[in-house]
Amino acid sequence: SPSTMPDASVAERTLLGQRIGAISGAEAAKGWSNEAIGKLLDLVKSQKGVVEDRDVCLLGEVKAAFRSAGVSRLSSREAAVQEMQRFLFPKPKPKGEDEAGLAKEFLKLAQHGQLLEARQLLQGRPKLLHARSTSKGYTAMHYAAMGASLPLLEWLAEQGLKPDVLSQPKDASPALTPAQVAHDYKRDAA
């Protein structure tokens, strides 16, 4: 029977079963089928907003389901339910640790010519210099050219970004240099 959780792949569920199986008293989880994990996930998910997250492991239905799955001790069940809640409802990373968000921010700063802000962001995270947009594969150099920001283009070159770096588009569109992007956006000064 198909689970109501199509977003969790078989591999992800298998890994979840192994993580839960590493919990003392929950070793049975290592042998759970994909379907069994799916049913337990659905059960835990169905309690979201009904009771406090920490109390889900105390519910009779949850207790019975985990007991029949080989996890009978409260402490083990509690840890297994918490692991499933983390899997189902991952907490967003703090903005300072969200690499994709920081990369997007750096590229936006480049496009808007915000040199001081871009420099500050890059100081603590030098890897951002090589950030690329997800669809067109543009670098900060492309975005600075798009925004016709000469000071930012010069600064990026000083940081080691090549002025003739090619974009890496995900689709079939041609790879472009920052100068070509500037031309496309009628920013020939850049």
Side-chain angles (χ1 to χ4, degrees):
S1 72
S3 167
T4 61
M5 274 205 54
D7 50 329
S9 72
V10 173
E12 289 171 322
R13 288 183 187 188
T14 302
L15 284 171
L16 177 64
Q18 289 171 355
R19 280 204 313 268
I20 293 171
I23 297 167
S24 174
E27 292 81 6
K30 292 177 188 166
W32 289 347
S33 68
N34 187 48
E35 188 179 357
I37 293 171
K39 285 179 178 174
L40 289 169
L41 281 169
D42 287 342
L43 178 60
V44 170
K45 187 177 188 179
S46 72
Q47 304 306 321
K48 184 72 174 170
V50 178
V51 296
E52 293 290 323
D53 284 352
R54 66 178 178 274
D55 294 335
V56 170
C57 64
L58 303 174
L59 297 172
E61 185 182 3
V62 173
K63 195 185 293 187
F66 276 85
R67 187 172 285 136
S68 70
V71 182
S72 49
R73 272 198 352 243
L74 173 61
S75 61
S76 308
R77 186 171 65 246
E78 190 173 30
V81 166
Q82 284 174 351
E83 193 66 46
M84 287 186 162
Q85 288 168 332
R86 277 193 293 275
F87 177 82
L88 288 165
F89 316 110
K91 300 236 185 303
K93 289 182 177 178
K95 198 153 176 62
E97 293 176 32
D98 176 15
E99 290 297 322
L102 289 171
K104 200 176 217 173
E105 177 70 15
F106 182 68
L107 296 174
K108 190 189 305 180
L109 292 170
Q111 183 176 4
H112 296 292
Q114 294 177 286
L115 178 57
L116 295 177
E117 295 86 346
R119 183 183 296 156
Q120 277 182 325
L121 193 55
L122 191 64
Q123 269 176 348
R125 301 167 191 87
K127 287 192 310 194
L128 289 178
L129 183 64
H130 304 287
R132 288 186 177 266
S133 65
T134 49
S135 60
K136 299 266 189 209
Y138 286 171
T139 65
M141 193 68 85
H142 291 89
Y143 281 101
M146 191 186 297
S149 175
L150 294 177
L152 205 87
L153 286 165
E154 290 169 7
W155 176 75
L156 288 168
E158 288 167 13
Q159 302 311 303
L161 211 52
K162 302 272 184 260
D164 58 352
V165 63
L166 286 173
S167 63
Q168 296 174 347
K170 296 279 187 261
D171 58 14
S173 57
L176 301 172
T177 66
Q180 290 169 312
V181 170
H183 180 76
D184 287 353
Y185 281 83
K186 309 288 185 258
R187 309 274 200 231
D188 290 324

